[in-house]
């Protein structure tokens, strides 16, 4: 009976002082630990070096290659991170922001950006500051930056997005992170419109009759979102997109094949774990990442105090969960989490989870792991 109980999600409820808040930990919560993976919290700026000596003062966007190498976009630069955890500049110039294409030694990026693999050996960059989609790729033996779609010299669109190819397309505010499918087609939320960008730069708005509004189930063409101040997006196991619809306080499923948008989680407010239709976020959902190894989604609220897992119709907490905790590192249930985002999973076993957070984590990247699974490796 005990072994069976340990194999499933067990509700361990803590009713907090905040009214309406309920934390339900995953059943194996006591097997998880939190540690600082990278960042010296150095206020001096952006620095290269071994993981714990590297410097960055903004949160960012992280993605992994199957080899365990990774790329991290933050503060106008893109780092390459070796399998051993050493940070080296790949693109962008520290302290110099712009939209200059060309060889990475001269190219400039906006202050705020997200990255993802483009399926063809390069990276898409959702350059929020410059209102365009850019790409990092290898050419003639070196890396270059090119603009795929959008033109920062043009004014942002006002009433409706402007579609087109390359610099004909106009963006307004790239609220979400950029994601791409295996064919290299990218997707991003621009204000409250879902835009699709083909590898050759053709931009199409998938909900042209939608925009801002309440989260009713609807055909994709007329779906409405409310991602003011940002929201995360990822692909799920069946190829659908999942959007953290921030100010609608829910997670939405975008079925691209059926061209239908539905509510997957919520809507609800207040930090409440439990059934997916009755759970809530203290502020609003901010980020979502699918974990194919554990077959669950990792998510969080923008001003929440825990990392959470959504699986089999239930929301559970996997780290943090206690407001005002003093511990930065250590047991997952005691860790200090706040203004947190889950943003990557290591593809190498044991598939550790990477996150950024406020509340003492500024300038650092955290990692959630099980000590028993490391088996003497050097991470």
């Amino acid at each position: 009976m005990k072994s069976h109980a340990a194999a499933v999600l067990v509700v361990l409820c803590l009713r907090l002082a905040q009214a309406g808040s309920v934390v339900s930990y995953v059943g194996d919560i006591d097997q998880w630990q939190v540690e600082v993976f990278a960042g010296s919290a150095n206020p001096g700026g952006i620095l290269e070096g071994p993981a714990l000596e590297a410097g960055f003062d903004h949160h960012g966007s992280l993605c992994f290659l199957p080899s365990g190498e990774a790329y991290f976009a933050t503060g106008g630069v893109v780092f390459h991170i070796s399998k051993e955890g050493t940070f080296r500049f790949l693109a962008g110039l520290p302290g110099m922001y712009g939209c200059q294409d060309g060889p990475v030694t001269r190219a400039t990026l906006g202050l705020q950006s997200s990255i993802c693999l483009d399926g063809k050996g390069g990276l898409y960059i959702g350059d929020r500051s410059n209102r365009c989609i850019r790409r990092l790729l290898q050419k003639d033996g070196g890396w270059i930056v090119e603009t795929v779609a959008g033109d920062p010299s043009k004014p942002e669109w006002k009433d409706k997005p402007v579609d087109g190819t390359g610099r004909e397309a106009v963006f307004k505010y790239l609220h979400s992170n950029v994601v791409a499918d295996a064919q290299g087609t990218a997707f991003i939320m621009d204000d409250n419109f879902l835009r699709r960008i083909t590898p050759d730069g053709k931009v199409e708005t998938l909900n042209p009759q939608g925009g801002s509004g309440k989260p009713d189930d609807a055909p994709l063409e007329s779906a409405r979102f409310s991602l003011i101040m940002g929201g995360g997006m990822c692909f799920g196991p069946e190829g659908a997109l999942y959007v953290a619809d921030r100010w609608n306080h829910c997670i939405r499923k975008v079925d691209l094949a059926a061209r239908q948008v539905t509510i997957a989680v919520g809507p609800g407010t207040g930090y409440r774990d439990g059934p997916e239709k009755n759970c809530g976020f203290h502020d609003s959902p901010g980020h979502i990442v699918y974990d194919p190894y554990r077959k669950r989604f990792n998510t969080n609220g923008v001003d929440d105090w825990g990392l959470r897992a959504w699986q089999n119709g239930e929301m559970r907490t996997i780290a943090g969960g206690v407001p005002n905790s003093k511990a930065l590192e250590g047991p997952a249930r005691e860790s200090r989490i706040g203004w947190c985002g889950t943003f990557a999973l290591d593809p190498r076993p044991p598939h550790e989870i990477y996150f950024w957070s406020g509340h003492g984590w500024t300038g650092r990247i955290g990692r959630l792991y099980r000590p028993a699974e490391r088996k003497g490796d050097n991470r």
Side-chain angles (χ1 to χ4, degrees):
M1 181 68 70
K2 290 183 179 180
S3 62
H4 175 72
V8 298
L9 293 178
V10 178
V11 177
L12 304 173
C13 292
L14 296 178
R15 295 192 175 274
L16 305 175
Q18 286 78 357
S21 297
V22 177
V23 177
S24 302
Y25 286 114
V26 293
D28 60 353
I29 184 65
D30 292 323
Q31 299 176 27
W32 290 89
Q33 296 277 316
V34 166
E35 68 180 358
V36 174
F37 160 67
S40 59
N42 186 338
I46 299 177
L47 303 172
E48 297 180 298
L52 294 177
E53 298 175 15
F56 38 89
D57 49 11
H58 292 82
H59 60 75
S61 178
L62 180 69
C63 65
F64 277 89
L65 292 171
S67 65
E69 297 173 85
Y71 299 97
F72 179 48
T74 181
V77 303
V78 175
F79 284 101
H80 171 263
I81 308 173
S82 71
K83 289 183 286 187
E84 296 73 32
T86 300
F87 284 59
R88 291 285 180 258
F89 295 134
L90 175 61
L93 302 173
M96 297 180 64
Y97 312 122
C99 198
Q100 176 65 47
D101 287 347
V104 290
T105 53
R106 300 196 300 272
T108 53
L109 306 171
L111 174 64
Q112 295 182 319
S113 59
S114 63
I115 58 172
C116 71
L117 302 180
D118 69 357
K120 301 181 183 299
L123 297 162
Y124 278 119
I125 302 173
D127 194 332
R128 177 182 293 181
S129 300
N130 288 311
R131 296 183 292 107
C132 58
I133 304 297
R134 307 176 75 188
R135 182 160 45 210
L136 257 170
L137 70 158
Q138 297 187 64
K139 187 175 182 180
D140 299 328
W143 286 88
I144 67 166
V145 176
E146 65 177 18
T147 298
V148 179
D151 186 344
S153 68
K154 294 180 179 178
E156 63 184 36
W157 58 263
K158 295 191 179 298
D159 298 321
K160 292 289 182 180
V162 178
D163 291 343
T165 300
R167 293 183 181 271
E168 296 173 356
V170 179
F171 295 90
K172 182 176 183 178
Y173 187 83
L174 305 181
H175 273 304
S176 76
N177 54 304
V178 63
V179 298
D181 62 21
Q183 290 71 48
T185 298
F187 298 83
I188 199 164
M189 292 296 302
D190 177 23
D191 192 71
N192 291 299
F193 290 90
L194 179 59
R195 316 288 298 272
R196 178 170 60 196
I197 305 98
T198 63
D200 61 357
K202 182 180 179 181
V203 179
E204 179 186 5
T205 302
L206 299 184
N207 60 327
Q209 300 173 29
S212 303
K214 295 182 179 179
D216 298 324
D217 292 350
L220 176 56
E221 288 78 3
S222 58
R224 296 181 178 274
F225 299 85
S226 187
L227 270 71
I228 298 169
M229 297 175 66
M233 184 165 64
C234 73
F235 280 104
E238 75 287 12
L241 285 169
Y242 287 80
V243 180
D245 193 347
R246 183 170 176 183
W247 289 110
N248 280 322
H249 305 288
C250 62
I251 294 171
R252 310 280 293 282
K253 177 182 178 180
V254 181
D255 189 326
L256 296 169
R259 301 187 69 83
Q260 185 74 21
V261 179
T262 55
I263 297 174
V265 176
T269 57
Y271 194 115
R272 297 195 314 275
D273 287 334
E276 62 190 21
K277 297 300 183 181
N278 296 319
C279 66
F281 298 87
H282 172 58
D283 184 337
S284 46
H287 301 84
I288 185 165
V289 176
Y290 182 64
D291 182 341
Y293 313 107
R294 302 174 185 93
K295 295 180 171 43
R296 69 189 188 191
F297 291 85
N298 295 325
T299 186
N300 72 288
V302 175
D303 196 17
D304 279 350
W305 45 82
L307 291 176
R308 302 162 86 181
W310 166 41
Q311 183 179 41
N312 298 330
E314 296 283 331
M315 187 72 74
R316 297 285 180 257
T317 294
I318 58 175
V322 180
N324 306 316
S325 174
K326 300 295 189 294
L328 193 66
E329 299 182 283
R333 72 160 72 220
E334 299 174 11
S335 60
R336 183 194 313 166
I337 300 291
W339 283 89
C340 187
T342 55
F343 62 0
L345 294 112
D346 193 328
R348 300 168 296 175
H351 310 302
E352 295 172 344
I353 301 165
Y354 292 74
F355 66 91
W356 61 263
S357 175
H359 296 192
W361 285 92
T362 303
R364 296 184 173 102
I365 297 172
R367 181 161 59 189
L368 182 63
Y369 71 101
R370 281 193 186 106
E373 292 180 327
R374 289 196 163 172
K375 298 179 181 178
D377 68 20
N378 60 3
R379 280 174 286 161

